[in-house]
Structures are given as C-alpha cells and as structure tokens.
C-alpha cells in the first residue's frame, strides 16, 4: 500500500512543484506565486521526512525557494543535500536535476557551473529525459554564447 502511494503521490508532488516554481520564477504575480510555493513546501516537508525517496526533490525545491527569496547560500546547501541524497538513494533523475539546479545558478565564470551542467546533460541523455536534456542544453549553451 505504501509503495503504491509513493508511486502516485511523488510524481503528483513533482508536477505541482514544477508548476508552482515555474510561475514564481517566471510569472507576473510574484507575491501570490511565492505564497503558493510556500504552501506546497509546507505540505511536502512531512512527506519527505517520512519517505526518503522524496528528500532529493524536497531539498531541490527548498533550494529554489531560497534562491527566489534571495538566499543563494542556503539554496546551494539545499541543492547539495539534494545531490547527496539522490546519490545515496541511487536516483539518477534526481541526481541530474540537482546538478542542473546547481549548475544553472552558479556564475557563468565558475568552473563548477560547466561541470555540473555537463553531468546533468550526461544523466538526462542516458535516461532519455528529452525535456530536461533540452533545458540543461539551453543553459549550457548560454555559457558558450556569452563567451564563457
């Protein structure tokens, strides 16, 4: 029963989070979008606390919230925790997503940006995650087109 619930709820949380944070990051109503994401995170925390496979995504979204709130150091700590948990739990998709978030939020001149984005690209290609591969590729190509 619990495994079935994880199979159903984890993707639902992930899809909801992607929508929430996409709006907060790119939308016009930042205050409302921020509040919606905070409500979502409040619901996700207990789930991630009891279900280890939800922790990499939870840390990733906590990092995005911190980044959008102007707390880059906290954001990077959450993304590193996301990566560490994803590796520990052998969750390659979440590893790729953590590398992607770390890489895209590092300065263009930081050598770690290239390393993290390269790892994300390799993972997404191996998994056949076409949309994620395209997103990471666009961020990676920004570096080249900006002369970095």
């Amino acid at each position: 029963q619990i495994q079935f619930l994880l199979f159903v709820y984890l993707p639902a949380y992930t899809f909801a989070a992607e929508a929430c944070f996409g709006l907060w990051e790119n939308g016009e109503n930042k205050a409302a979008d921020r509040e919606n994401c905070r409500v979502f995170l409040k619901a996700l925390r207990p789930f991630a606390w009891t279900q280890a496979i939800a922790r990499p995504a939870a840390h990733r979204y906590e990092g995005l919230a911190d980044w959008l709130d102007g707390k880059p150091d906290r954001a990077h700590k959450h993304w590193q925790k996301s990566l560490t948990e994803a590796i520990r739990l052998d969750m390659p998709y979440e590893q790729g997503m953590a590398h992607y978030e770390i890489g895209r939020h590092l300065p263009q001149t930081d050598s770690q940006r290239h390393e993290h984005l390269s790892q994300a690209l390799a993972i997404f290609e191996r998994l056949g995650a076409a949309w994620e591969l395209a997103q990471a590729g666009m961020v990676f190509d920004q570096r080249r087109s900006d002369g970095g």
Side-chain angles (χ1 to χ4, degrees):
Q1 173 105 22
I2 289 176
Q3 288 180 343
F4 173 76
L5 292 175
L6 288 174
F7 180 76
V8 171
Y9 286 125
L10 189 56
Y13 274 117
T14 301
F15 294 140
E18 291 299 323
C20 250
F21 283 97
L23 286 171
W24 186 4
E25 199 165 6
N26 302 306
E28 295 177 10
N29 193 350
K30 299 282 186 197
D33 295 334
R34 179 186 186 278
E35 183 58 29
N36 288 337
C37 287
R38 289 291 174 199
V39 168
F40 168 78
L41 285 173
K42 188 175 181 179
L44 179 60
R45 282 183 196 115
F47 181 67
W49 181 253
T50 60
Q51 306 301 324
I53 66 167
R55 289 182 196 142
H59 281 298
R60 184 163 42 93
Y61 296 125
E62 291 282 0
L64 282 172
D66 286 336
W67 181 266
L68 293 168
D69 273 340
K71 301 171 186 168
D73 291 341
R74 283 182 55 166
H76 280 282
K77 285 178 185 173
H78 276 293
W79 292 325
Q80 191 57 54
K81 286 180 183 177
S82 175
L83 181 57
T84 299
E85 283 292 299
I87 292 168
R88 183 180 73 81
L89 296 166
D90 194 23
M91 298 175 70
Y93 176 81
E94 286 297 337
Q95 291 174 35
M97 291 303 293
H99 281 298
Y100 171 69
E101 291 300 342
I102 294 167
R104 81 178 180 115
H105 289 100
L106 286 171
Q108 296 277 353
T109 56
D110 191 319
S111 63
Q112 289 297 305
R113 177 183 171 95
H114 178 266
E115 179 63 29
H116 282 287
L117 290 172
S118 293
Q119 289 192 38
L121 287 166
I123 290 168
F124 295 146
E125 185 171 15
R126 188 177 76 241
L127 296 176
W131 187 85
E132 292 83 350
L133 182 62
Q135 295 300 305
M138 283 191 292
V139 174
F140 186 84
D141 288 342
Q142 281 176 343
R143 175 188 160 114
R144 286 199 239 137
S145 67
D146 292 345

